[in-house]
Amino acid sequence: MADLVLPAPTPSLLPVAGSDALFPVRRIFCVGRNYAEHAREMGNDPDRDPPFFFTKPADAAVPSGVTLPFPKATENLHHEAELVVAIGTGGAEIAAADAARHIWGYGAGNDLTRRDLQAEAKEMRRPWDMAKGFDASAVIGALHAAPETGPMTSGRITCSVEGELRQDGDLSEMIWPTDQIIAFLSRLVTLAPGDLIMTGTPAGVGAIAPGQTCTVEIAGLSPATVTFS
């Protein structure tokens, strides 16, 4: 039998603001319940737990401006506006004080969630993978280099559906700020160039219906917009 030869997968590439360059995505890590009011709206205690993480496949990342078919197997698709941190220098056991040196840049992102599948998984105490890691579930705006943006420790973050404001918060409201997220995550895995970290969402998550357009905006960054057919 002849050896099976498969083509190398094409990496997901995200645009870089103000440039023709593209950022290759290696992995996507997501922080759960990182804003107190969102934790409460989901029925959890924001003061009790350390950060926890879940992942999306690298090819779940899609650039802003896409029109997508409405996801399969859900009747309750939710938006989650998030700051995305792009890692440029890898490492393990990174100290919070050194975290900024590992950040390439930032973007606005939408952690799309099949909420009905997530609720079912929670009820049965099963993993969230199919609720969070489905095709095209991470819509990400053009990335901005960290020297351009500064540290992104504060700034308005919003999400609108068909022009209606749904989420309205500030990055300063994170329970675990970016430097501490990187420090904590790098004790669990060795971070590498191309990794993305989606840093959690403020309160106000809600449904997106077929035919609607959803836009995430963060002060100083390019928006992340998606339309569902």
Side-chain angles (χ1 to χ4, degrees):
M1 180 177 178
D3 291 339
L4 178 63
V5 178
L6 298 176
T10 301
S12 294
L13 301 170
L14 294 175
V16 174
S19 170
D20 293 331
L22 296 171
F23 186 93
V25 179
R26 184 174 185 269
R27 295 176 294 185
I28 305 173
F29 298 99
C30 306
V31 185
R33 302 172 193 157
N34 198 29
Y35 288 75
E37 289 306 314
H38 173 60
R40 293 187 184 103
E41 77 177 345
M42 301 305 291
N44 300 287
D45 180 355
D47 299 318
R48 186 180 63 188
D49 296 325
F52 73 93
F53 301 87
F54 56 92
T55 62
K56 293 176 181 278
D59 62 5
V62 293
S64 175
V66 295
T67 297
L68 300 173
F70 195 77
K72 300 176 181 178
T74 185
E75 296 180 356
N76 194 19
L77 179 70
H78 275 208
H79 56 77
E80 297 193 9
E82 311 210 1
L83 175 70
V84 179
V85 178
I87 298 298
T89 303
E93 304 286 340
I94 298 168
D98 296 330
R101 296 193 299 106
H102 295 263
I103 297 173
W104 183 90
Y106 301 93
N110 195 340
D111 168 19
L112 297 170
T113 302
R114 295 192 283 202
R115 192 70 74 198
D116 41 4
L117 297 191
Q118 186 185 41
E120 179 182 320
K122 288 180 177 180
E123 183 177 354
M124 300 181 74
R125 298 187 177 184
R126 291 179 175 175
W128 296 1
D129 295 58
M130 292 299 100
K132 290 286 193 176
F134 55 96
D135 297 344
S137 58
V139 181
I140 300 174
L143 299 177
H144 292 247
E148 171 194 340
T149 65
M152 299 296 296
T153 54
S154 64
R156 191 181 185 196
I157 175 171
T158 65
C159 183
S160 300
V161 177
E162 292 295 296
E164 175 193 355
L165 185 63
R166 297 278 191 84
Q167 294 180 267
D168 192 356
D170 195 278
L171 301 178
S172 62
E173 297 167 356
M174 288 187 194
I175 299 170
W176 296 88
T178 296
D179 57 351
Q180 295 181 37
I181 291 170
I182 291 173
F184 198 97
L185 180 58
S186 70
R187 296 202 299 267
L188 301 173
V189 297
T190 299
L191 293 174
D195 287 342
L196 300 179
I197 305 173
M198 303 187 77
T199 58
T201 194
V205 298
I208 312 170
Q212 291 187 323
T213 296
C214 180
T215 301
V216 173
E217 295 182 278
I218 298 176
L221 299 178
S222 300
T225 298
V226 60
T227 300
F228 288 98
S229 59

